[in-house]
Amino acid sequence: MLDGESIAFASSPCGAVASVLVADRLRRVVALQGEVLSDRDPEALHQMRVSFRRLCSTLEQFAPALNLPDAVDPQRIARIRRRLGLTRDLDVLRQRLDQQLLPQLPEREIRQLKPLLKQLKRERQLAFEDLVDTLQGRRYLKLLATLQQWLKQPVFTPLGEEPLAAWRPELVQAVLAGLTSLPGWWAANPYDSEAIAQLHRLRRRLKKARYGLSNLESLDPQQFEPWVNRFRKLQDLLGDLNDLQLIDVALHRQLDGEPDQLVPGLCSLMAERRSCSWQEWQGLAEPLRGAEMRLALNALSHA
C-alpha cells in the first residue's frame, strides 16, 4: 500500500511496481523542498534525505526494468545525495552534542567546547548554502522535471513487462549480493581506523539492503518485514558509532590539547555510549555470521 494506492505486487509487472514506488519517493522529495529551503526545522531535511535515498535505491534496484531518460544520471543523483548528506550529518552532530552530551557536562567543559560548536555552525552554514544552490540549480530541477514527465507515460524494458514475482530472486539479490561477506561483520575494535572504514561501508550496504527489501515487502510481509527491521536496528547502531567517531575527530582537530585532558567528562560519556552501542551491535551482528541466519537471508530470494 502506497499512499492509498494498492498494487497486486506479485502479479503486477516489474515496471509498474517500480513506477509507483518512484512516484511515491519523488512526490515526498518535491513536497519537502520548500520546508528544507526555509531551514526552520532540521527534520524536514532528514525526511528529504531519506526520501531521496529511497528514490535512488528504487531506481538502482529496478534499473533493468526501466527505460529512463539520459538526464536521470546515477552520477548526478549521487552528487545531489552527497549535498543533502553533508548538511544533515552536521545537523546530527550538533543535535547530539546540544541535546545529549552538553547538558551532562560541567560549565568548564562547555566553555572549552565553544570553539568547536562555532566551527560546526560555520561548516553547517556553508554546507547549507551549497545545498540551496543545488536544490535551486538547473540540473537538479531538470532531474525532477524529467522524472515527473517520464512518470506520466513510463517506458519499460522487456523485463519491466514481466510479473514481479517471477523476478523476485534477481531483485532481492540486487540489494543483498555480497552483504554478509563484507569485512565489517568481523571488525573487532571500533577505535581502529581500518575497522571504522569497514563499518562505514557495511552501514551503507545495510541501508541499500533495507531500502531494497522494503520495496519488495508486499510480496511476502512475514518474510521481509523482520529483515527490514533487523537491518534498521543494525544501521542505527552503526550510525551511533559513526557519529561518536566524527565528534572525536572534530575534538582532536579543534581543541588546543588532548580531549581527555580538556574535556574528560565528554570523553567519558562518549566512551560509555560507544561501548553500549558496540556491545549491542556485536550481539545483533554475531548471528548473521552464522550459517543458519545467512541461509535464512538467502531464502528471501525464493517465493
Side-chain angles (χ1 to χ4, degrees):
M1 180 76 70
L2 288 170
D3 293 342
E5 298 180 30
S6 179
I7 286 186
F9 267 64
S11 59
S12 293
C14 293
V17 173
S19 66
V20 171
L21 291 168
V22 169
D24 178 69
R25 280 60 167 139
L26 184 62
R27 183 165 52 247
R28 292 175 185 273
V29 168
V30 173
L32 286 161
Q33 180 153 333
E35 239 185 303
V36 169
L37 292 174
S38 71
D39 201 25
R40 289 191 293 266
D41 184 357
E43 182 62 20
L45 176 56
H46 171 57
Q47 293 301 326
M48 187 178 190
R49 183 189 189 186
V50 170
S51 296
F52 199 81
R53 277 179 172 165
R54 287 185 177 276
L55 172 63
C56 296
S57 174
T58 303
L59 291 172
E60 182 181 354
Q61 184 179 17
F62 286 89
L66 307 178
N67 192 345
L68 293 166
D70 292 338
V72 185
D73 177 54
Q75 291 185 342
R76 182 177 301 172
I77 292 174
R79 284 195 296 271
I80 296 167
R81 186 170 55 193
R82 284 195 294 271
R83 299 279 174 82
L84 286 166
L86 178 57
T87 307
R88 175 58 189 168
D89 287 344
L90 288 166
D91 280 344
V92 169
L93 291 187
R94 291 171 66 205
Q95 287 173 352
R96 186 175 281 268
L97 282 166
D98 291 342
Q99 298 174 16
Q100 297 180 14
L101 297 172
L102 264 63
Q104 302 184 63
L105 299 180
E107 184 61 33
R108 181 187 65 80
E109 291 197 23
I110 294 176
R111 287 196 300 270
Q112 290 280 1
L113 291 168
K114 283 185 178 179
L116 169 62
L117 299 174
K118 288 181 180 179
Q119 179 61 24
L120 289 176
K121 186 176 180 179
R122 284 194 294 268
E123 290 178 6
R124 201 275 181 186
Q125 182 177 352
L126 291 172
F128 183 72
E129 290 171 0
D130 198 18
L131 175 61
V132 169
D133 288 342
T134 297
L135 297 183
Q136 295 180 336
R138 180 182 60 83
R139 291 182 177 180
Y140 176 71
L141 295 176
K142 181 181 178 181
L143 171 65
L144 297 186
T146 301
L147 275 173
Q148 287 170 330
Q149 186 63 34
W150 180 83
L151 285 166
K152 292 178 182 178
Q153 197 169 358
V155 181
F156 308 129
T157 66
L159 188 150
E161 306 293 347
E162 297 280 336
L164 184 73
W167 290 89
R168 171 174 171 164
E170 287 79 7
L171 290 168
V172 170
Q173 283 305 306
V175 296
L176 291 185
L179 173 65
T180 55
S181 60
L182 289 173
W185 294 107
W186 289 272
N189 182 357
Y191 292 92
D192 176 72
S193 59
E194 184 177 353
I196 290 168
Q198 291 172 349
L199 291 168
H200 181 65
R201 287 193 292 270
L202 178 55
R203 179 184 172 215
R204 292 174 61 184
R205 283 301 313 277
L206 284 167
K207 286 179 189 175
K208 177 180 177 179
R210 173 188 155 205
Y211 292 152
L213 293 184
S214 68
N215 283 339
L216 304 174
E217 199 168 336
S218 292
L219 275 175
D220 192 345
Q222 286 189 330
Q223 272 205 323
F224 283 98
E225 186 178 357
W227 284 102
V228 170
N229 293 335
R230 182 178 288 114
F231 288 159
R232 179 186 291 110
K233 182 60 177 176
L234 289 166
Q235 176 193 323
D236 287 346
L237 289 168
L238 290 180
D240 289 342
L241 292 169
N242 182 68
D243 293 346
L244 293 167
Q245 170 62 19
L246 291 177
I247 294 174
D248 189 55
V249 169
L251 289 174
H252 281 88
R253 188 180 66 225
Q254 290 296 322
L255 296 182
D256 294 325
E258 285 299 316
D260 283 343
Q261 297 176 5
L262 296 175
V263 284
L266 175 61
C267 292
S268 177
L269 282 173
M270 289 171 57
E272 181 181 349
R273 289 178 181 269
R274 194 179 316 216
S275 176
C276 290
S277 293
W278 182 244
Q279 288 178 18
E280 192 172 356
W281 154 259
Q282 287 183 309
L284 292 175
E286 184 178 2
L288 278 161
R289 295 194 291 264
E292 184 177 349
M293 288 289 277
R294 287 188 287 107
L295 287 171
L297 182 59
N298 288 332
L300 293 179
S301 299
H302 309 294

